[in-house]
Amino acid sequence: MKQTAVIILFAISHGMAFSQGPAITSWLQNTTLMGSHYVSGNSTAIQDNVPVNTQLVQYSASWVYVTTNGIPSYPTGPFLDGNPSQATDQNAIFKIPLNPTQNTGTLTATNAGNIGVFINGVALFDYRDGVSWKNSSNALAGGPLGGMGDGVWNRDAVVGERGGFDCAKGHPAMGNYHHHQNPSAFDLDLQLVSTVCNLYDSDGLYAIDSTVHSPLIGFAYDGFPIYGAYGFKNADGTGGIVRMKSSFTLRNITARNTYYDGTSVTSGPAVSATYPLGYFREDYEFTAPVSADYLDIHNGRFCITPEYPAGIYCYFATVDENWNSAYPYVVGPTFYGNKVVTKVTSVGETTTTYTPTTNGLTQSELENLNIDLFPNPATDLVTLQVNGLVKENLTVELADMTGRIVLEKVIPSGSTIAFFETQTLNAGEYVVRIKSMGNAITRKLLLVK
């Protein structure tokens, strides 16, 4: 039997704040740091004049209102498939329920465009890109290709548009920058399926860490939370940390003329090198979960998480054993809950503004960060990678052995990487200091020339 958890918010009295749950406190807020982007042929990011992450969070007893420009703190672009668009200010307010409920009637299919919002205010799309097979012309049509396909064999954007994603696995649709999939950089996957990170340093919302429960990274349009790729094996929070697995698998077909339930449909192209299995969404079939770490038909399950110790229904940004994105990627092909999120132009009720604390990370939290520093020894370039989600800005200093700071960078919340160009520094030992407010941890670095 499916279960759903309700977050109960208690109103004390008129004018007094309601209790604050993860749907209120998890958003990354910023009003000062501006975004940046790459253009083809220029490996230096261009600074923009649009604040990143979310700008304002307001809430009532039933709703949270999230104001966002839709711009991440990691650089966007370039989009090497000829996409003429850049990530632009979306000036959006999303109205999200604080008491999400299960849909017990006819399930609602995910749709083209936004189906969720990540905690940095960036949009989540489902698998599709608007392109489908047109049998009468024996070609693809729709979406960026123009015209209209049959809508029977629908192209999977994660496969069909891979050449146009930036390093963070995102791209814009008429300025609306979004992810169809797990928002972690291509070059952090165990097996690389894109080399765009080789040319343009970029990043992602978080970096996969297989040793801990993945962070809460967003909310779907039915109000239920979205987590990264790893969680507790069992719904009750036991069983250790495991990769959460999609229950969709590729069908064993060579001709595309039926759906996996046996329904005969208008034919699509035969399976080939040009149109391999997985090129279309209908190439997948669903099998009921075979163990606790396999997800349901919506790509989620009811479970306990660090943010929801009493349990709630959760979606997961699924990846395969190589950390490559796995269909249906985040949410879909149907919502578990009642889709109620709306985009509004103003807040039409009395609300409380949520102001996050700015105390920084504690010493213990810093020491528990999973940090990679590479290469070490290094010559010309050093990368510091924080695995997981950076919730508060981190200052990273490179100091020589006298304590003199020679280079300094900031890893903003919602980003994970700092780069140091060290070609002008002398060989020798250095200290990398990662700071948050008054606390710090250090790593040793050796430069060789």
Side-chain angles (χ1 to χ4, degrees), residues 37-154:
H37 70 278
Y38 293 112
V39 295
S40 181
N42 184 357
S43 59
T44 299
I46 298 170
Q47 294 301 304
D48 298 318
N49 193 34
V50 182
V52 302
N53 295 338
T54 69
Q55 283 65 61
L56 179 65
V57 176
Q58 302 162 275
Y59 63 96
S60 65
S62 301
W63 303 95
V64 58
Y65 298 85
V66 181
T67 300
T68 176
N69 298 318
I71 303 296
S73 61
Y74 43 89
T76 61
F79 313 109
L80 301 178
D81 61 349
N83 187 342
S85 184
Q86 296 291 338
T88 57
D89 185 354
Q90 297 303 293
N91 190 29
I93 304 174
F94 291 102
K95 181 181 179 182
I96 301 170
L98 293 176
N99 304 295
T101 56
Q102 179 185 1
N103 181 0
T104 58
T106 302
L107 296 177
T108 303
T110 57
N111 53 272
N114 292 33
I115 64 165
V117 185
F118 290 107
I119 61 171
N120 60 352
V122 169
L124 166 68
F125 280 25
D126 74 356
Y127 73 90
R128 82 191 73 208
D129 63 357
V131 174
S132 64
W133 187 255
K134 189 175 184 65
N135 183 269
S136 62
S137 61
N138 199 38
L140 296 167
L145 301 180
M148 182 174 294
D150 297 331
V152 175
W153 297 93
N154 295 281

Side-chain angles (χ1 to χ4, degrees), residues 290-342:
V290 296
S291 64
D293 50 333
Y294 280 80
L295 302 173
D296 65 17
I297 199 166
H298 316 287
N299 215 41
R301 69 171 190 181
F302 183 90
C303 56
I304 285 172
T305 73
E307 291 78 12
Y308 294 96
I312 193 171
Y313 185 87
C314 305
Y315 298 102
F316 289 86
T318 41
V319 299
D320 64 17
E321 63 275 9
N322 295 313
W323 293 0
N324 303 144
S325 301
Y327 178 86
Y329 308 117
V330 186
V331 178
T334 53
F335 290 100
Y336 168 82
N338 293 291
K339 178 188 170 187
V340 293
V341 170
T342 57

Side-chain angles (χ1 to χ4, degrees), residues 252-312:
N252 183 20
I253 58 173
T254 56
R256 291 184 170 103
N257 49 29
T258 63
Y259 284 164
Y260 81 84
D261 63 1
T263 303
S264 295
V265 295
T266 302
S267 295
V271 175
S272 65
T274 304
Y275 302 109
L277 278 175
Y279 194 86
F280 297 98
R281 189 263 287 182
E282 293 76 18
D283 290 344
Y284 290 92
E285 61 185 347
F286 175 76
T287 303
V290 296
S291 64
D293 50 333
Y294 280 80
L295 302 173
D296 65 17
I297 199 166
H298 316 287
N299 215 41
R301 69 171 190 181
F302 183 90
C303 56
I304 285 172
T305 73
E307 291 78 12
Y308 294 96
I312 193 171

